[in-house]
Amino acid sequence: MPWSDPGGNGNKNDNNPWGRRPNAQKPVFDIQKITQELKKLGGIFGGGRGGGPKVDRKWLRLLPFLVIAVLLLLWIASGIYVVGPDEEGVVLRFGKEVGISQPGLHYRLPFPFERVYLPKVAQSRRLVLGYSGAADSLNPGMMLTADGNVVDVQFAVQYRITNASHYLFATTNPDQLISYCAESAMRELVGRSRIDDLLTSGKGAIERQAQQITQNLLSRYHAGVTVDAVQLLEVGPPKAVQPAFTEVTSAREDMERARDEAQAYASSVIPKAKGEAAAMVTNAEGYKQQVVDRAKGDSARFTDILQAYQKNPKVVSERMYLHTMQDILSHTQKVIIESKGQPVIYLHMPAKTPVAVNSPTNSAAVTAPAVSVTPPVASTTSPAALPIPVSRASS
């Protein structure tokens, strides 16, 4: 028996690798049974031909209505829609707005009666405008400043929807409207600003003004959006003049640094000079007051002396003479000599340069001059009125 024989047929050979063993189970599927079931199913749709069971034609006549009913239910159920937590539903009936739906489950009339738009009103949107790196001459980011410089400006507009109906139906392209308004506002501000303000500390003010101008324009057009921020991303000269602009910027920075150093030096010198000038003025005022007071005192003293002189000229003259001699003799060495040049009394007083008297002849030349003191009149002058005692020399 060849191995291709399926086995069985009374052959008890268990060594046949493809044959079925005597005690083996039957397979799960049966080809003949499957064929009979298919024939029965064909008889149902074929009107009983082939010996299959007959089906009542009443159910066949109801089948289209059942299909239509199912489709109708599906069409009615298509009106159920869900509004997300960050959305707002705008319901249109034949193209006209009839209501606004809040987040949750809602129902509308099925298409084509009503339609719902679901814009995300809580989502923050962002548009990047201006210079995009292109080298064309019509680049929207190239703008002219107030001082005649051309700059490439790239900025971003951040906005959100506040009125879904206006956002959807006020314009055919809301993003394009926002772009035009923001570019118009930025060109206006750049045209009124200097390039130094755009590159340094003036960015913040320009961003705030651009936000306000853009919001005013969009509110005038009923765009239904609120501009949250306008941010300058990149501001610089065109690539063709970048090296020259860098050199100019470096020179301007050097100038600003030199100016700051000069201002710092002036700030340190000017207050010092002002202080010295104020001190000089104060000293001069003090000296002036001192001199004036002294002059007033001398004038008052002279007036008193004049009055006393008018009353007793002789006493006042002698007293003035004695005061004068006291002032003179208090700073000199004193030697009392006779009329013939012989020293009588030598009053030794310490001095910077000692005076030596070598001979009677030249002693008068190196010493103080001889002083002849006229004795006061005893009847008119009292000893207490004299300021110092005076030695009298013989004449």
Side-chain angles (χ1 to χ4, degrees), residues 61-96:
R61 287 193 293 268
L62 294 177
L63 184 61
F65 296 99
L66 294 175
V67 173
I68 293 174
V70 172
L71 294 177
L72 182 61
L73 289 176
L74 293 176
W75 178 70
I76 295 174
S78 65
I80 300 174
Y81 66 97
V82 178
V83 181
D86 59 341
E87 298 175 341
E88 225 178 52
V90 181
V91 183
L92 302 181
R93 183 178 301 164
F94 298 111
K96 181 180 179 181

Side-chain angles (χ1 to χ4, degrees), residues 9-239:
N9 300 326
N11 189 0
K12 303 298 183 179
N13 188 6
D14 295 336
N15 294 326
N16 182 5
W18 289 283
R20 189 164 46 242
R21 296 185 180 183
N23 298 327
Q25 297 179 356
K26 293 182 179 181
V28 179
F29 58 89
D30 190 352
I31 298 298
Q32 294 180 356
K33 188 176 181 179
I34 293 174
T35 304
Q36 292 176 0
E37 295 293 335
L38 291 176
K39 288 181 179 180
K40 291 180 180 180
L41 183 63
I44 295 174
F45 294 99
R49 289 181 298 178
K54 295 183 179 181
V55 181
D56 190 359
R57 294 182 178 275
K58 178 181 179 180
W59 294 104
L60 292 178
R61 287 193 293 268
L62 294 177
L63 184 61
F65 296 99
L66 294 175
V67 173
I68 293 174
V70 172
L71 294 177
L72 182 61
L73 289 176
L74 293 176
W75 178 70
I76 295 174
S78 65
I80 300 174
Y81 66 97
V82 178
V83 181
D86 59 341
E87 298 175 341
E88 225 178 52
V90 181
V91 183
L92 302 181
R93 183 178 301 164
F94 298 111
K96 181 180 179 181
E97 180 184 347
V98 294
I100 301 294
S101 301
Q102 299 302 321
L105 183 64
H106 301 274
Y107 183 79
R108 61 173 175 84
L109 295 179
F111 182 84
F113 299 103
E114 290 184 354
R115 186 176 181 181
V116 178
Y117 291 93
L118 300 174
K120 297 184 179 296
V121 296
Q123 180 181 2
S124 180
R125 302 166 183 260
R126 180 182 175 91
L127 288 177
V128 178
L129 307 172
Y131 176 64
S132 60
D136 57 342
S137 59
L138 299 178
N139 193 321
M142 298 183 67
M143 303 179 185
L144 186 65
T145 62
D147 50 358
N149 292 299
V150 178
V151 292
D152 287 333
V153 181
Q154 183 181 16
F155 61 100
V157 180
Q158 188 172 351
Y159 68 96
R160 53 189 171 84
I161 301 174
T162 54
N163 191 319
S165 177
H166 289 177
Y167 178 78
L168 293 173
F169 308 120
T171 177
T172 57
N173 193 339
D175 291 343
Q176 187 176 15
L177 176 62
I178 296 172
S179 301
Y180 288 162
C181 293
E183 288 180 1
S184 175
M186 187 60 65
R187 288 186 182 277
E188 177 183 354
L189 294 173
V190 171
R192 294 186 305 183
S193 304
R194 299 175 60 87
I195 190 171
D196 294 338
D197 298 334
L198 293 172
L199 298 177
T200 56
S201 60
K203 285 185 176 181
I206 292 176
E207 291 174 349
R208 291 189 295 271
Q209 294 177 8
Q211 175 187 355
Q212 183 177 2
I213 295 175
T214 305
Q215 183 63 59
N216 294 336
L217 291 175
L218 294 175
S219 299
R220 186 185 305 172
Y221 296 136
H222 303 286
V225 298
T226 297
V227 180
D228 294 329
V230 175
Q231 181 182 6
L232 288 173
L233 301 178
E234 183 178 355
V235 180
K239 293 183 178 180

Side-chain angles (χ1 to χ4, degrees), residues 5 70 100 146 154 170 186 253 256 324 371-372 374 391 393:
D5 193 348
V70 172
I100 301 294
Q154 183 181 16
M186 187 60 65
E253 291 177 354
E256 293 294 336
T324 303
V371 178
S372 177
T374 305
S391 299

Side-chain angles (χ1 to χ4, degrees), residues 257-276:
R257 184 174 61 254
R259 181 182 299 171
D260 293 340
E261 293 176 355
Q263 290 179 353
Y265 176 74
S267 299
S268 63
V269 172
I270 291 177
K272 183 178 179 181
K274 289 182 178 179
E276 293 178 354

